[in-house]
Amino acid sequence: MKSIEIYNILRNYFGAVGSWWPKERPFEVIIGAILTQQSTWTNVEKALKNLNQQGILTPFEIEEIPLEKLKELIKSSGFFNQKANRLKEISEYLITQYNGNLELLFNKNKKELRKELLNLKGIGPETADSIILYSAEKAEFVVDAYTKRIYSRLGLVNEKIDYENLKEFIIEGIPEELTIYQEYHGLLVLLGKNICKKNNPKCMECPLKDKCDFGKKENG
Ligand code: SF4
């Protein structure tokens, strides 16, 4: 089964979901992409709410706030010592290199932008791609744990496949368009969160069940 077929099935099932990531402020998306590492979105939302309530919305404000206070505000997202340091480092980088102006960074082409983000400490491929797709709003597909689980259960890839190979496999045949990449990622998140769960997937409810190796085994 090809990705475009999965996309169409999921879109028919869930409807047009658009971009699932809240995107009022591009810097908030960067904060969210860092906080969501090894965490759930519910816990990230609490941390983002705390930052919002304190008016911490720009790289300058992250840089100014005392480290201990920042840790406290983002505690709900887990690994808060490490994440607070990462937020400080990336804010300092954006200030020294771009005077805190994200547009200057995002003016770069997708390839250069990805390379630059990946050179920053604590930013791996998933975080970099989330920033490019949802903050810079350029068509770069994001692979997350949901996506990997769904594709491997469908029997399309080995569960040990690495990030870049899985991404190549997924995007083949999908139009390279921002709205489609955002929506397909959003649809996979919906499926992974609500139906193709890590434990006890609800295969009987799944729109992909007739095409899924794992689902067929589960249901005899
Ligand atoms: S049939 Fe089950 S295992 Fe397969 S994709 Fe759907 S929920 Fe996941």
Side-chain angles (χ1 to χ4, degrees):
M1 185 163 50
K2 303 239 185 268
S3 286
I4 194 71
E5 204 185 330
I6 302 172
Y7 171 77
N8 286 327
I9 292 172
L10 295 182
R11 201 170 189 278
N12 280 335
Y13 185 80
F14 290 113
V17 298
S19 167
W20 81 279
W21 196 298
K23 55 169 182 182
E24 300 92 55
R25 288 175 280 264
F27 185 63
E28 199 171 329
V29 177
I30 295 183
I31 298 177
I34 290 169
L35 296 185
T36 202
Q37 293 170 350
Q38 297 160 291
S39 184
T40 63
W41 187 250
T42 313
N43 290 332
V44 172
E45 272 180 326
K46 285 181 204 154
L48 287 174
K49 196 172 160 204
N50 288 343
L51 292 171
N52 262 295
Q53 278 170 350
Q54 298 287 321
I56 314 287
L57 304 166
T58 68
F60 296 100
E61 286 145 2
I62 292 276
E63 206 203 22
E64 274 168 27
I65 187 174
L67 183 62
E68 291 309 311
K69 176 78 181 158
L70 181 59
K71 287 180 188 173
E72 199 186 307
L73 292 173
I74 64 165
K75 203 166 187 171
S76 66
S77 72
F79 300 94
F80 54 90
N81 287 318
Q82 196 183 40
K83 289 177 182 176
N85 282 313
R86 279 180 192 163
L87 289 178
K88 286 271 183 193
E89 283 157 11
I90 195 166
S91 297
E92 197 185 323
Y93 180 82
L94 291 170
I95 291 167
T96 51
Q97 299 296 317
Y98 299 100
N99 197 27
N101 184 347
L102 284 179
E103 274 184 35
L104 296 177
L105 171 66
F106 294 161
N107 274 343
K108 300 193 168 186
N109 71 39
K110 211 168 57 174
K111 209 172 157 190
E112 281 177 18
L113 176 57
R114 190 171 197 261
K115 197 171 161 203
E116 185 165 339
L117 290 171
L118 287 173
N119 274 332
L120 298 174
K121 198 170 151 200
I123 297 201
E126 184 184 336
T127 307
D129 291 343
S130 297
I131 292 172
I132 299 169
L133 184 65
Y134 292 107
S135 186
E137 299 198 291
K138 296 179 194 280
E140 187 75 57
F141 196 77
V142 178
V143 176
D144 58 19
Y146 297 125
T147 317
K148 194 169 192 177
R149 183 162 76 228
I150 294 164
Y151 269 73
S152 66
R153 282 179 173 171
L154 285 169
L156 298 173
V157 298
N158 186 294
E159 62 185 343
K160 295 201 172 89
I161 191 169
D162 68 23
Y163 187 96
E164 302 299 339
N165 282 319
L166 178 55
K167 183 170 153 180
E168 279 304 305
F169 182 87
I170 293 170
I171 61 177
E172 199 186 323
I174 298 187
E176 193 181 330
E177 286 175 24
L178 175 69
T179 50
I180 292 183
Y181 277 18
Q182 286 187 339
E183 182 155 76
Y184 190 32
H185 178 234
L187 290 166
L188 290 165
V189 170
L190 270 180
L191 186 75
K193 251 175 124 169
N194 301 304
I195 298 178
C196 194
K197 297 165 174 242
K198 188 171 177 188
N199 300 314
N200 304 318
K202 300 177 185 171
C203 298
M204 289 309 285
E205 288 177 29
C206 180
L208 301 170
K209 65 176 180 295
D210 296 337
K211 315 202 177 246
C212 178
D213 288 355
F214 187 98
K216 282 180 199 156
K217 264 188 248 153
E218 283 287 287
N219 300 295

